[in-house]
Amino acid sequence: MNDEPYVEELRLLLAQGEPFAPKAARLRPLLPRIVQRLAAGAPRKVIVEQLNRAGLDISLHDLAKQLYQHRKARRAGEVNTVQPSPPGPPPAAPDAAVRGQPNRIENPADLRKIRSMEVDLDALRREGEAMRRQARHAKAGTDPTQSPAFPNRSNPQE
């Protein structure tokens, strides 16, 4: 089998990336094409040999591990895109009690952000009191603007 066109394609794709990046980072842009080749019936061993000839020294185990991570990330991405967002208004912006908080923890940089967060304890206390007040009024079925927590507002019925 003449597989030189595949090796040339891999060389071109590898040349577009950063030459001193780790193996996994250099392999990442090639994974969609590799998945296509696997779906077409190409054995992993042949793909590894072609990658080695193209200039990426990789083992069969490394390829299998990267394919697993790629498919796992793709599945997670598909799950997030398929599920519709819940109807209703967007969530309210939090008070400025906690600054620098990431939305999700996805990598070590997010953990570093959490360690360096600025927390305004007074604002956090006020936020918690407001949430408890809203829950209390929702449970009782009363209007929170008519509570003693808002002394400056007058009752229009009086």
Side-chain angles (χ1 to χ4, degrees), residues 29-153:
L30 307 175
L31 288 174
R33 180 67 177 124
I34 292 171
V35 170
Q36 286 177 348
R37 297 267 324 277
L38 288 172
R44 287 184 181 186
K45 186 175 181 179
V46 170
I47 292 174
V48 167
E49 290 171 0
Q50 292 170 350
L51 286 167
N52 288 333
R53 281 193 310 212
L56 182 63
D57 186 30
I58 191 166
S59 68
L60 191 59
H61 174 72
D62 290 338
L63 178 65
K65 188 167 58 171
Q66 289 300 316
L67 284 169
Y68 168 76
Q69 291 176 353
H70 174 72
R71 289 177 176 146
K72 182 178 171 184
R74 195 173 63 182
R75 272 193 310 266
E78 288 174 1
V79 169
N80 289 340
T81 57
V82 171
Q83 293 178 347
S85 61
D95 194 10
V98 181
R99 292 190 189 110
Q101 178 180 10
N103 293 339
R104 294 181 359 189
I105 300 173
E106 297 177 344
N107 55 40
D110 293 337
L111 291 173
R112 285 190 291 274
K113 284 181 186 176
I114 289 174
R115 279 185 281 188
S116 64
M117 285 188 317
E118 295 178 20
V119 179
D120 181 0
L121 295 177
D122 291 328
L124 195 59
R125 179 183 51 79
R126 288 190 302 272
E127 191 176 308
E129 288 173 349
M131 288 173 59
R132 284 191 298 276
R133 189 178 320 114
Q134 284 179 343
R136 199 170 39 243
H137 287 291
K139 185 176 179 182
T142 59
D143 184 12
T145 59
Q146 303 302 322
S147 72
F150 296 98
N152 295 337
R153 297 193 181 178

Side-chain angles (χ1 to χ4, degrees), residues 1-11 37 49-50 53-54:
M1 177 174 112
N2 186 9
D3 57 358
E4 281 307 309
Y6 297 118
V7 175
E8 280 303 312
E9 179 186 5
L10 293 172
R11 279 190 187 122
R37 297 267 324 277
E49 290 171 0
Q50 292 170 350
R53 281 193 310 212

